[in-house]
Amino acid sequence: MTTLIDRRSPSRGPSRRNILGMIGATGALMISGLAVINPREAWGLEVVALKPETMRTLIVMARDVYPHDRIADRFYAVAMKPYETDAAKDPALKALVEEGVITLDTLAKARHGVAYADLGWEDQRVAILREIEDSAFFQKVRGGLVVGLYNQEEVWPIFGYEGASAEKGGYIDRGFSDISWL
Amino acid sequence: MAAPFDLNDDSVVVIVGSGAGGGTLGTELALKGVKVVILEAGKRHNMEDFVNNEWESFAQLAWTDMRTTSGSWRVHKNFPNLPAWIVKSVGGSTVHWAGASLRFQEHEFKTRTTYGDLDGANLLDWPITLAELEPYYAKAEDRMGVTRTNGIPGLPGNNNFKVFEAGAKKIGYTEVSTGRMAINSQPRHDRGSCQQIGFCFQGCKSGAKWSTLIAEIPRGEETGNLEVRPESMVLKIEHDNSGKATGVVYVDKDGKTQRQKARIVAVAGNSIESPRLLLNSASSMFPDGLANSSGQVGRNYMRHMTGSVYGIFEKPVHMYRGTTMAGIVRDEAGFNDKRGFVGGYEMETLSLGVPFMAAFLDPGGWGRSFTSAMDGYVNTAGLWIVGEDMPQETNRVTLNTEVKDKNGMPVANVHFDDHPNDIAMRTHAYKQGAAMYDSVGAVRTLPTPPYPSTHNLGTNRMSEKPRDGVVNKHGQTHDIPNLFVSDGSQFTTGGAENPTLTIVALAIRQADFIAGEMSKNAF
Ligand SMILES: Cc1cc2nc3c(=O)[nH]c(=O)nc-3n(C[C@H](O)[C@H](O)[C@H](O)COP(=O)(O)OP(=O)(O)OC[C@H]3O[C@@H](n4cnc5c(N)ncnc54)[C@H](O)[C@@H]3O)c2cc1C
Ligand code: SF4
């Protein structure tokens, strides 16, 4: 069983020294034992079925596929979490994901000498994704993400979308025709 | 109250499907005193159960049983198992239709005569005229409560409409309004007025929008002559040695196979399932499927020339607030071949929420170009284009015998290629839609490809001569007198207009015909 993303108290997180030792190009995403953690956003995602490094790479990749600078990492992590849950039950999926990440890292190392998630520039990572965008791995991740990311109610306000309205009486008295700049 | 009819009662009219065609026909017949059983594959929901959440609602209402696709249309690449976005539930696709209710234009019943012989297009005149259908259009508008008819005022314009209207007028369009909508702008027929909830595609929770689920079927049931059996998937229509239909085989809600006898069978499963059912009912007497002596069952599949244009502005629009589609420009709807194509198109306001916008804006798209468009969501206005597409014999619903559904029935394969006329029209419409938004200050416009089909038409088309089509001008099959087609698959050609008003008008007309023939002891 994997845990949901926890809001970890700093005292339960890894020591500050460990964290410093691990900070790379991927900014706030780190590995601690069997978890991907983000101390800045105060969450951790336990990873058992997949390698923790794989999950970290998936989260970086998710942002590269649908980059929104105003959306925090945790939303991308929530969108990628099903791969951990499903990989536990589905060996074929697990292989697809693990091998897909190996491909990303192999390409990154050949081009730039470091793993995909450690590449400093989004452009460098995106160039690698463009090379594999027709692969089953990429299509699987993108297809899951387009629902998994944009269907989170918590991200809607960031886009200015207000979601369900029936229980609020619709918009008849709440600005359905309030446009003023035309 | 629902009237339970016996499986062996061979005096009933059995209707397959409870949507725009089937739900209307069943109700109208029941009101005339005819006993009707509607078999509906989907579940029955109450309007309180509808959810203001796009994917959740999709899971609740959409037809997601397996289908396959082929052809050069982009839907095949991006949504290979979702050729159409339509409903499997009592009420059919009227549960999540937008309500735009337009009559066909006169020439659209005579496209072969008006447009001439177009390479690759299987154009044919309808066996009926606008004049013949007009009284039924009037009846349909009255029962559906269509705004701007019968003295019903138009709906108020929402933000998305205001941007659309300003842009349309700026570039010289004159036929711009909040349209003719089967949505109450004021209380009528025991239903309240629109609360501008903004989830018309997810089922109207206020009851302002007409659907067969809330506005027809309950009226039919009150007569005691109509029984609707949900979760009843019809697999086969049976016939006797004389070639007359005798009933249907269906799988009930418990997974049991049942056989309902019938005096008349009417097929109204929408334009993918209706031909699938006729083809799957092949027998030694009718080896190519029922009513298929012309070979036209499943052919001439039309989906309207569609596409969307979104415009992103400097300031907020909040397009999702209020009615999804109450806004129309009709200036391009007429026939004017100076534009480089035959037929015409409408532009109608459209909004999607964030989840569907992400899925449909540029299916398969990713990266900053995509996400910066999503970042502009709140400042976005949207419109949908809907135009007449050309019937082509090769655009076709067939049985995919390699893929079976859970009942062992071969699934439908939907093959589609655009006709060059469709492409020319879409190019024109993208340009005009973008010009509308540009004229009122859009910083970016996005020509968005067609979604999985919401309008599915033509696969059992009407024809004067039996060799050209499947049904006659009453929707009665040319081959089997007591077998009818009652949905959009009857359309000979598609017109530029959203199809439902025409489906409903045809169903009311068909009910008159069936009741008349029954009283003469036909069938
Ligand atoms: C999102 C959306 C918006 C739309 N907006 C508009 C609009 O604004 N204006 C407009 O004119 N049109 C609109 N439409 C189109 C409109 O909904 C359809 O044209 C219309 O409902 C089609 O009617 P029908 O009777 O052919 O089929 P449907 O209404 O789809 O009904 C078919 C029913 O048959 C059932 N069925 C199928 N096969 C079987 C079987 N073998 N056994 C038992 N039951 C079966 C299905 O489950 C379904 O419930 C919209 C559609 C969608 C999806
Ligand atoms: S906007 Fe009006 S018609 Fe549409 S769902 Fe809401 S109340 Fe119903």
Side-chain angles (χ1 to χ4, degrees):
Chain A
M1 269 294 289
T2 51
T3 48
L4 241 156
I5 290 182
D6 285 329
R7 286 179 178 278
R8 302 196 158 195
S9 64
S11 62
R12 282 204 292 133
S15 75
R16 174 118 183 109
R17 176 133 46 74
N18 274 347
I19 293 171
L20 285 176
M22 284 183 289
I23 285 180
T26 47
L29 283 178
M30 286 163 292
I31 307 290
S32 171
L34 283 181
V36 179
I37 59 161
N38 184 323
R40 196 179 62 212
E41 294 178 18
W43 57 262
L45 173 58
E46 222 182 293
V47 193
V48 181
L50 295 171
K51 291 199 208 99
E53 292 80 5
T54 299
M55 181 51 76
R56 184 178 71 144
T57 304
L58 284 178
I59 297 171
V60 174
M61 175 183 170
R63 181 182 285 286
D64 292 336
V65 172
Y66 291 123
H68 290 286
D69 299 337
R70 293 179 297 157
I71 293 186
D73 278 344
R74 71 190 156 96
F75 296 110
Y76 291 98
V78 166
M80 289 296 105
K81 186 171 177 287
Y83 293 103
E84 160 68 10
T85 323
D86 296 349
K89 296 171 282 194
D90 182 348
L93 177 73
K94 180 172 166 172
L96 182 77
V97 171
E98 292 287 7
E99 282 161 25
V101 168
I102 289 171
T103 304
L104 286 181
D105 284 343
T106 308
L107 288 169
K109 281 178 187 150
R111 304 275 182 288
H112 308 284
V114 293
Y116 177 87
D118 294 324
L119 278 174
W121 283 96
E122 179 184 312
D123 281 354
Q124 295 174 321
R125 297 190 302 271
V126 166
I128 289 170
L129 293 181
R130 289 281 167 212
E131 286 183 50
I132 65 149
E133 69 177 326
D134 292 327
S135 69
F137 165 66
F138 182 89
Q139 288 304 330
K140 179 90 194 159
V141 172
R142 193 208 59 76
L145 186 59
V146 77
V147 179
L149 178 64
Y150 296 104
N151 202 33
Q152 293 179 51
E153 287 188 28
E154 295 77 14
V155 310
W156 294 346
I158 300 170
F159 293 102
Y161 178 52
E162 294 164 273
S165 89
E167 61 272 23
K168 297 177 190 145
Y171 290 104
I172 193 156
D173 298 319
R174 296 191 311 126
F176 80 100
S177 64
D178 64 356
I179 198 161
S180 57
W181 54 262
L182 266 172
Chain B
M1 257 308 289
F5 294 111
D6 195 89
L7 289 169
N8 290 314
D9 185 343
D10 60 5
S11 70
V12 297
V13 175
V14 166
I15 300 175
V16 182
S18 61
T24 305
L25 175 67
T27 299
E28 188 66 11
L29 286 173
L31 291 169
K32 290 174 186 296
V34 177
K35 291 186 279 178
V36 179
V37 174
I38 295 183
L39 298 170
E40 166 55 57
K43 294 189 173 137
R44 188 163 184 158
H45 304 281
N46 297 319
M47 69 182 189
E48 300 78 39
D49 306 333
F50 296 144
V51 274
N52 276 188
N53 176 304
E54 291 176 316
W55 283 119
E56 222 182 292
S57 172
F58 182 86
Q60 180 185 44
L61 297 173
W63 183 288
T64 51
D65 294 10
M66 182 55 104
R67 284 170 175 154
T68 59
T69 52
S70 54
S72 57
W73 56 330
R74 190 162 159 189
V75 167
H76 168 55
K77 180 166 181 268
N78 300 125
F79 305 99
N81 302 117
L82 192 72
W85 172 27
I86 45 180
V87 173
K88 178 181 175 181
S89 114
V90 174
S93 305
T94 66
V95 169
H96 75 178
W97 77 315
S101 300
L102 304 170
R103 296 184 182 194
F104 266 42
Q105 304 165 71
E106 187 169 8
H107 73 271
E108 288 171 330
F109 290 99
K110 293 184 264 188
T111 55
R112 180 66 181 75
T113 305
T114 314
Y115 306 159
D117 189 11
L118 216 66
D119 226 13
N122 195 19
L123 286 168
L124 184 72
D125 290 353
W126 287 60
I128 51 171
T129 61
L130 176 62
E132 278 172 89
L133 205 54
E134 262 166 354
Y136 294 96
Y137 271 139
K139 282 188 189 176
E141 286 162 348
D142 180 40
R143 73 200 279 160
M144 297 164 80
V146 177
T147 58
R148 295 192 164 82
T149 74
N150 295 286
I152 306 169
L155 286 160
N158 66 356
N159 291 328
N160 200 26
F161 173 72
K162 288 183 170 175
V163 176
F164 175 90
E165 181 190 38
K169 290 191 169 155
K170 201 75 167 252
I171 69 164
Y173 286 142
T174 56
E175 295 175 64
V176 194
S177 75
T178 56
R180 296 182 166 215
M181 304 295 295
I183 295 178
N184 278 352
S185 56
Q186 57 192 28
R188 188 169 190 270
H189 287 172
D190 300 329
R191 293 185 286 111
S193 61
C194 172
Q195 302 301 303
Q196 302 289 340
I197 294 170
F199 284 86
C200 306
F201 285 177
Q202 280 68 40
C204 178
K205 286 178 79 70
S206 88
K209 186 184 77 176
W210 177 90
S211 68
T212 54
L213 173 69
I214 65 162
E216 298 292 329
I217 288 165
R219 283 173 67 210
E221 286 171 330
E222 264 170 36
T223 66
N225 296 323
L226 171 63
E227 178 189 353
V228 178
R229 272 178 225 159
E231 296 178 76
S232 301
M233 172 73 190
V234 178
L235 307 183
K236 204 172 164 52
I237 301 163
E238 295 187 317
H239 64 81
D240 63 17
N241 292 336
S242 72
K244 246 180 69 175
T246 52
V248 303
V249 176
Y250 70 97
V251 176
D252 73 9
K253 60 181 190 325
D254 305 316
K256 280 211 221 68
T257 301
Q258 306 283 8
R259 179 172 277 109
Q260 173 66 54
K261 291 198 173 155
R263 180 169 171 194
I264 292 171
V265 176
V267 181
N270 206 321
S271 292
I272 297 177
E273 292 308 308
S274 289
R276 178 187 180 209
L277 178 58
L278 293 177
L279 294 170
N280 196 53
S281 302
S283 63
S284 52
M285 192 169 184
F286 300 109
D288 299 325
L290 294 193
N292 197 19
S293 63
S294 63
Q296 294 290 310
V297 171
R299 293 188 186 270
N300 312 304
Y301 170 69
M302 294 173 288
R303 59 186 306 259
H304 272 144
M305 181 292 297
T306 70
S308 305
V309 179
Y310 293 96
I312 304 179
F313 295 84
E314 283 175 63
K315 299 211 174 114
V317 177
H318 298 283
M319 66 170 168
Y320 56 85
R321 292 184 184 168
T323 42
T324 305
M325 199 174 262
I328 188 164
V329 168
R330 302 213 64 186
D331 295 69
E332 301 285 358
F335 174 46
N336 160 18
D337 57 5
K338 288 199 193 75
R339 294 173 298 185
F341 52 86
V342 301
Y345 62 89
E346 322 271 352
M347 288 184 275
E348 299 171 349
T349 55
L350 175 78
S351 73
L352 299 177
V354 162
F356 274 15
M357 193 67 161
F360 295 125
L361 176 64
D362 178 18
W366 58 280
R368 292 243 168 217
S369 160
F370 178 88
T371 53
S372 64
M374 289 301 297
D375 284 335
Y377 177 80
V378 78
N379 293 7
T380 301
L383 66 84
W384 193 56
I385 50 190
V386 46
E388 178 162 27
D389 60 340
M390 291 298 110
Q392 301 180 71
E393 278 200 294
T394 47
N395 285 343
R396 191 176 176 192
V397 174
T398 51
L399 293 180
N400 183 342
T401 48
E402 275 154 37
V403 187
K404 306 260 165 79
D405 69 10
K406 68 172 197 289
N407 301 313
M409 180 175 176
V411 306
N413 183 73
V414 184
H415 180 95
F416 190 86
D417 303 301
D418 276 316
H419 187 277
N421 195 74
D422 308 344
I423 295 169
M425 189 192 287
R426 183 176 297 117
T427 306
H428 190 271
Y430 276 154
K431 209 169 111 254
Q432 293 308 107
M436 278 169 54
Y437 288 141
D438 284 339
S439 77
V440 283
V443 287
R444 185 173 171 193
T445 57
L446 307 154
T448 297
Y451 312 126
S453 318
T454 54
H455 299 175
N456 298 272
L457 304 166
T459 49
N460 295 303
R461 71 175 182 179
M462 268 191 190
S463 64
E464 179 86 54
K465 300 193 186 88
R467 65 157 193 266
D468 294 330
V470 180
V471 299
N472 68 15
K473 64 189 209 170
H474 299 291
Q476 181 180 34
T477 62
H478 288 302
D479 299 348
I480 301 177
N482 69 338
L483 177 61
F484 287 77
V485 174
S486 316
D487 59 14
S489 67
Q490 297 172 83
F491 282 33
T492 312
T493 51
E497 293 74 20
N498 314 56
T500 306
L501 181 75
T502 303
I503 296 174
V504 171
L506 289 172
I508 300 172
R509 182 169 177 271
Q510 188 178 67
D512 275 2
F513 177 76
I514 290 177
E517 294 295 292
M518 284 176 94
S519 68
K520 287 187 243 156
N521 273 325
F523 318 117

PDB file of all heavy atoms in Angstrom, chain B residues 119 340-341 392 418-425:
ATOM      1  N   ASP B 119     -18.426  15.454 -57.204  1.00  0.00           N
ATOM      2  CA  ASP B 119     -17.560  14.283 -57.188  1.00  0.00           C
ATOM      3  C   ASP B 119     -17.437  13.674 -55.791  1.00  0.00           C
ATOM      4  O   ASP B 119     -17.127  14.382 -54.837  1.00  0.00           O
ATOM      5  CB  ASP B 119     -16.161  14.718 -57.657  1.00  0.00           C
ATOM      6  CG  ASP B 119     -15.595  13.753 -58.674  1.00  0.00           C
ATOM      7  OD1 ASP B 119     -16.377  12.925 -59.180  1.00  0.00           O
ATOM      8  OD2 ASP B 119     -14.386  13.830 -58.945  1.00  0.00           O
ATOM      9  N   GLY B 340     -16.689  29.001 -52.546  1.00  0.00           N
ATOM     10  CA  GLY B 340     -15.820  27.875 -52.894  1.00  0.00           C
ATOM     11  C   GLY B 340     -16.284  26.539 -52.347  1.00  0.00           C
ATOM     12  O   GLY B 340     -15.537  25.559 -52.346  1.00  0.00           O
ATOM     13  N   PHE B 341     -17.505  26.498 -51.857  1.00  0.00           N
ATOM     14  CA  PHE B 341     -18.056  25.210 -51.405  1.00  0.00           C
ATOM     15  C   PHE B 341     -19.570  25.293 -51.474  1.00  0.00           C
ATOM     16  O   PHE B 341     -20.135  26.394 -51.501  1.00  0.00           O
ATOM     17  CB  PHE B 341     -17.608  24.872 -49.972  1.00  0.00           C
ATOM     18  CG  PHE B 341     -17.866  25.972 -48.969  1.00  0.00           C
ATOM     19  CD1 PHE B 341     -19.096  26.076 -48.326  1.00  0.00           C
ATOM     20  CD2 PHE B 341     -16.891  26.913 -48.681  1.00  0.00           C
ATOM     21  CE1 PHE B 341     -19.350  27.090 -47.417  1.00  0.00           C
ATOM     22  CE2 PHE B 341     -17.133  27.949 -47.762  1.00  0.00           C
ATOM     23  CZ  PHE B 341     -18.362  28.034 -47.132  1.00  0.00           C
ATOM     24  N   GLN B 392     -21.171  10.508 -48.137  1.00  0.00           N
ATOM     25  CA  GLN B 392     -20.289   9.712 -48.999  1.00  0.00           C
ATOM     26  C   GLN B 392     -20.567   8.248 -48.697  1.00  0.00           C
ATOM     27  O   GLN B 392     -20.618   7.856 -47.528  1.00  0.00           O
ATOM     28  CB  GLN B 392     -18.819  10.014 -48.707  1.00  0.00           C
ATOM     29  CG  GLN B 392     -18.422  11.469 -48.905  1.00  0.00           C
ATOM     30  CD  GLN B 392     -16.946  11.682 -48.585  1.00  0.00           C
ATOM     31  OE1 GLN B 392     -16.065  11.248 -49.320  1.00  0.00           O
ATOM     32  NE2 GLN B 392     -16.674  12.339 -47.479  1.00  0.00           N
ATOM     33  N   ASP B 418     -13.055  13.163 -44.484  1.00  0.00           N
ATOM     34  CA  ASP B 418     -13.665  14.423 -44.914  1.00  0.00           C
ATOM     35  C   ASP B 418     -13.757  14.455 -46.438  1.00  0.00           C
ATOM     36  O   ASP B 418     -12.865  13.979 -47.140  1.00  0.00           O
ATOM     37  CB  ASP B 418     -12.781  15.614 -44.490  1.00  0.00           C
ATOM     38  CG  ASP B 418     -13.043  16.057 -43.058  1.00  0.00           C
ATOM     39  OD1 ASP B 418     -14.213  16.143 -42.674  1.00  0.00           O
ATOM     40  OD2 ASP B 418     -12.060  16.327 -42.343  1.00  0.00           O
ATOM     41  N   HIS B 419     -14.819  15.054 -46.946  1.00  0.00           N
ATOM     42  CA  HIS B 419     -14.927  15.356 -48.373  1.00  0.00           C
ATOM     43  C   HIS B 419     -14.209  16.703 -48.607  1.00  0.00           C
ATOM     44  O   HIS B 419     -14.188  17.540 -47.701  1.00  0.00           O
ATOM     45  CB  HIS B 419     -16.410  15.465 -48.747  1.00  0.00           C
ATOM     46  CG  HIS B 419     -16.663  15.618 -50.209  1.00  0.00           C
ATOM     47  ND1 HIS B 419     -16.594  16.832 -50.851  1.00  0.00           N
ATOM     48  CD2 HIS B 419     -16.953  14.697 -51.171  1.00  0.00           C
ATOM     49  CE1 HIS B 419     -16.854  16.659 -52.148  1.00  0.00           C
ATOM     50  NE2 HIS B 419     -17.072  15.366 -52.363  1.00  0.00           N
ATOM     51  N   PRO B 420     -13.612  16.918 -49.786  1.00  0.00           N
ATOM     52  CA  PRO B 420     -12.951  18.209 -50.031  1.00  0.00           C
ATOM     53  C   PRO B 420     -13.870  19.409 -49.754  1.00  0.00           C
ATOM     54  O   PRO B 420     -13.405  20.465 -49.302  1.00  0.00           O
ATOM     55  CB  PRO B 420     -12.578  18.152 -51.518  1.00  0.00           C
ATOM     56  CG  PRO B 420     -12.474  16.691 -51.833  1.00  0.00           C
ATOM     57  CD  PRO B 420     -13.425  15.977 -50.904  1.00  0.00           C
ATOM     58  N   ASN B 421     -15.161  19.233 -50.000  1.00  0.00           N
ATOM     59  CA  ASN B 421     -16.101  20.321 -49.702  1.00  0.00           C
ATOM     60  C   ASN B 421     -16.164  20.615 -48.195  1.00  0.00           C
ATOM     61  O   ASN B 421     -16.260  21.772 -47.779  1.00  0.00           O
ATOM     62  CB  ASN B 421     -17.502  19.955 -50.218  1.00  0.00           C
ATOM     63  CG  ASN B 421     -18.430  21.162 -50.278  1.00  0.00           C
ATOM     64  OD1 ASN B 421     -18.293  22.013 -51.154  1.00  0.00           O
ATOM     65  ND2 ASN B 421     -19.362  21.243 -49.324  1.00  0.00           N
ATOM     66  N   ASP B 422     -16.086  19.555 -47.393  1.00  0.00           N
ATOM     67  CA  ASP B 422     -16.087  19.735 -45.929  1.00  0.00           C
ATOM     68  C   ASP B 422     -14.855  20.545 -45.508  1.00  0.00           C
ATOM     69  O   ASP B 422     -14.933  21.428 -44.655  1.00  0.00           O
ATOM     70  CB  ASP B 422     -16.039  18.390 -45.181  1.00  0.00           C
ATOM     71  CG  ASP B 422     -17.110  17.399 -45.622  1.00  0.00           C
ATOM     72  OD1 ASP B 422     -18.082  17.817 -46.271  1.00  0.00           O
ATOM     73  OD2 ASP B 422     -16.962  16.191 -45.316  1.00  0.00           O
ATOM     74  N   ILE B 423     -13.731  20.204 -46.120  1.00  0.00           N
ATOM     75  CA  ILE B 423     -12.474  20.864 -45.730  1.00  0.00           C
ATOM     76  C   ILE B 423     -12.498  22.337 -46.144  1.00  0.00           C
ATOM     77  O   ILE B 423     -12.118  23.220 -45.363  1.00  0.00           O
ATOM     78  CB  ILE B 423     -11.264  20.125 -46.350  1.00  0.00           C
ATOM     79  CG1 ILE B 423     -11.180  18.703 -45.755  1.00  0.00           C
ATOM     80  CG2 ILE B 423      -9.966  20.889 -46.106  1.00  0.00           C
ATOM     81  CD1 ILE B 423     -10.205  17.784 -46.448  1.00  0.00           C
ATOM     82  N   ALA B 424     -13.007  22.604 -47.359  1.00  0.00           N
ATOM     83  CA  ALA B 424     -13.080  23.999 -47.822  1.00  0.00           C
ATOM     84  C   ALA B 424     -13.996  24.814 -46.914  1.00  0.00           C
ATOM     85  O   ALA B 424     -13.709  25.961 -46.563  1.00  0.00           O
ATOM     86  CB  ALA B 424     -13.585  24.041 -49.269  1.00  0.00           C
ATOM     87  N   MET B 425     -15.096  24.208 -46.510  1.00  0.00           N
ATOM     88  CA  MET B 425     -16.034  24.916 -45.639  1.00  0.00           C
ATOM     89  C   MET B 425     -15.420  25.165 -44.264  1.00  0.00           C
ATOM     90  O   MET B 425     -15.548  26.263 -43.697  1.00  0.00           O
ATOM     91  CB  MET B 425     -17.329  24.099 -45.494  1.00  0.00           C
ATOM     92  CG  MET B 425     -18.448  24.854 -44.791  1.00  0.00           C
ATOM     93  SD  MET B 425     -19.815  23.778 -44.318  1.00  0.00           S
ATOM     94  CE  MET B 425     -20.577  23.436 -45.877  1.00  0.00           C
TER      95      MET B 425
END
